[in-house]
Amino acid sequence: FAVAALVAAVYLASVTEYLGRRLAADAKGRDGAIAAYAVGCITTLGAALTIAFERGMLTVSLALLVAGIAWVETRRPVAALRPTALAVAAVVIARVVWDPRIVGDDLGTTILFNPLLYGYGMPTLCFAYAAWRFGRTPGDPRPVPIFEALAVIFTALTATVEVHHAMNGGDLFAPVSSLAEQSLITMVMMAISLGLNWLGARRPSPVMIWGVPLFGGFGLIMAAIGLLIVNNPVLSGEPIDGGAFDGKLLLGYLGPAVLALLITGLARRRKDLPRYAVPIAATVGGLLVAMWATLAVRAGWHSGNLGWGGVEEGELYAYSAVWLVLGLVVLTVGFVAASRTVRTVAAVIVAGVVAKVFLIDTSGLTGPLRALSFIGLGGVLVAIGLAYQTVLRRQRKGLPEG
């Protein structure tokens, strides 16, 4: 049956070519006849592929059919080809939804180089090629952003399913298993946002414009909920055995924090993004850094379970010191960037440390540590006062604040 369908496809293709060559350009019904045979050829070829292949190879062959239609359209510009390509793309999507594992129970546990790589990666490449090809030839422009969106979505799916597969021993239907997995998926979303901004600067498109805040916002939401709450080792009980510089903590918080701060800088440059994008991204990035510092202190004194429990005297002092250093770093950034909002955040951090020193450290610390806590806090407050005096003098002289 596959051979019969393939023969029929070859016949319909030859008729399409014959009509294109023999009929005059102004012949009545010419375009409709050519379109009918062209669509019939593609449909029959798709039937042959469906009969001959299954599972992973069927997904790849149907995706290649989309790219093939885009290539044919550059040489035989039949108006019906673009809608037909969209219909085949819909079949590819339905195929992936029907079996996200691509090859069913035979997926296996091999990391990266498995059927997911070509089952999701090939449609990604084919959709991207179709968007590029259709965008460079005359014709209905409406399918172009659709294929661009499909290429972006399948890029995210490829990275996400590969991460999930690797972190769960090949079980694609398992829930998110760890802080590291949640962090990797979060970074995928943020990285796609930054990548779309880079592409949009070179090839403006509605997909690039709207994709930046959508993927960036989704990544920030995943960071705020997934990393700070759901998969936080203090709340989830996930063991941390590597001390203050445990790899899970570094990957789980500092990696997403860097990308969140890059998104902050991007949002400051993009005037078309909402005004609240900058403070939200900066807040999430700052909270991730603060959470890493706090958990690093906790892991330095407690191996394994970081859940609520006893706090040692040195640990209590370390929290004050680390948070105070963070406040100074944020304050420095506020001075350099001449941002009142950032300086306000620094003031809140320092005020929180002051409250902790007077309300908690006075009763929780004894001897030299109590004295160091007050001396260090006093020295920092004096330094902050001197810094603000310098800023005020520059403002009076009309010099730049930063």
Side-chain angles (χ1 to χ4, degrees):
F1 289 102
V3 171
L6 186 61
V7 170
V10 172
Y11 168 74
L12 293 172
S14 64
V15 175
T16 303
E17 185 69 12
Y18 175 81
L19 294 178
R21 292 176 180 272
R22 295 298 299 270
L23 294 180
D26 57 349
K28 184 178 180 180
R30 176 182 183 274
D31 293 340
I34 294 176
Y37 280 102
V39 172
C41 170
I42 295 168
T43 304
T44 311
L45 181 59
L49 295 174
T50 304
I51 296 170
F53 299 112
E54 61 179 0
R55 300 196 296 185
M57 295 312 299
L58 175 60
T59 306
V60 170
S61 61
L62 291 175
L64 289 173
L65 186 56
V66 174
I69 294 172
W71 181 81
V72 169
E73 200 242 14
T74 62
R75 288 151 179 78
R76 292 292 180 267
V78 178
L81 290 180
R82 297 193 180 197
T84 305
L86 288 174
V88 176
V91 175
V92 175
I93 296 171
R95 170 69 189 85
V96 173
V97 172
W98 177 263
D99 183 10
R101 297 175 296 176
I102 303 300
V103 293
D105 295 332
D106 299 331
L107 180 57
T109 59
T110 303
I111 296 176
L112 185 59
F113 298 102
N114 52 56
L116 297 175
L117 186 61
Y118 61 79
Y120 288 87
M122 187 56 69
T124 300
L125 296 176
C126 292
F127 293 153
Y129 175 78
W132 174 76
R133 190 72 270 175
F134 287 145
R136 293 173 63 90
T137 54
D140 186 0
R142 290 176 295 180
V144 176
I146 297 176
F147 280 110
E148 288 179 345
L150 289 176
V152 173
I153 292 171
F154 268 78
T155 299
L157 286 175
T158 303
T160 301
V161 297
E162 285 285 8
V163 168
H164 192 62
H165 173 270
M167 301 297 289
N168 291 277
D171 186 1
L172 211 60
F173 297 117
V176 175
S177 60
S178 64
L179 173 67
E181 180 184 354
Q182 181 65 71
S183 174
L184 289 172
I185 295 175
T186 300
M187 288 193 288
V188 165
M189 298 299 122
M190 293 183 180
I192 290 176
S193 175
L194 295 171
L196 289 177
N197 179 73
W198 183 83
L199 289 174
R202 290 153 180 78
R203 190 173 184 270
S205 164
V207 174
M208 309 301 174
I209 294 173
W210 289 101
V212 172
L214 285 176
F215 280 93
F218 191 42
L220 293 174
I221 292 172
M222 293 176 70
I225 298 177
L227 297 178
L228 296 176
I229 300 175
V230 177
N231 289 282
N232 189 322
V234 174
L235 302 176
S236 67
E238 181 178 347
I240 303 295
D241 301 315
F245 294 96
D246 184 89
K248 293 179 184 178
L249 296 180
L250 292 171
L251 175 64
Y253 292 100
L254 286 190
V258 171
L259 291 177
L261 294 177
L262 288 176
I263 290 177
T264 303
L266 165 64
R268 292 188 66 181
R269 295 192 302 270
R270 289 276 299 265
K271 303 302 181 183
D272 57 319
L273 297 180
R275 295 180 58 184
Y276 52 79
V278 174
I280 289 178
T283 300
V284 172
L287 288 174
L288 290 172
V289 173
M291 183 58 68
W292 170 78
T294 303
L295 292 176
V297 173
R298 183 70 175 168
W301 266 266
H302 302 272
S303 178
N305 189 357
L306 303 186
W308 305 110
V311 178
E312 300 182 16
E313 190 174 5
E315 179 186 356
L316 188 61
Y317 173 78
Y319 286 131
S320 298
V322 168
W323 293 343
L324 199 55
V325 170
L326 282 177
L328 291 176
V329 171
V330 174
L331 183 62
T332 302
V333 173
F335 283 142
V336 173
S339 172
R340 184 184 300 272
T341 302
V342 176
R343 294 199 302 271
T344 301
V345 173
V348 171
I349 296 174
V350 174
V353 175
V354 171
K356 176 182 178 296
V357 169
F358 280 97
L359 298 178
I360 299 177
D361 290 1
T362 52
S363 60
L365 297 179
T366 60
L369 287 180
R370 179 187 291 181
L372 285 174
S373 180
F374 281 95
I375 292 172
L377 177 61
V380 169
L381 293 178
V382 170
I384 292 175
L386 293 175
Y388 264 101
Q389 288 180 6
T390 303
V391 172
L392 291 175
R393 284 198 300 269
R394 289 187 177 183
Q395 287 179 341
R396 293 192 187 102
K397 293 179 181 180
L399 297 176
E401 185 179 325

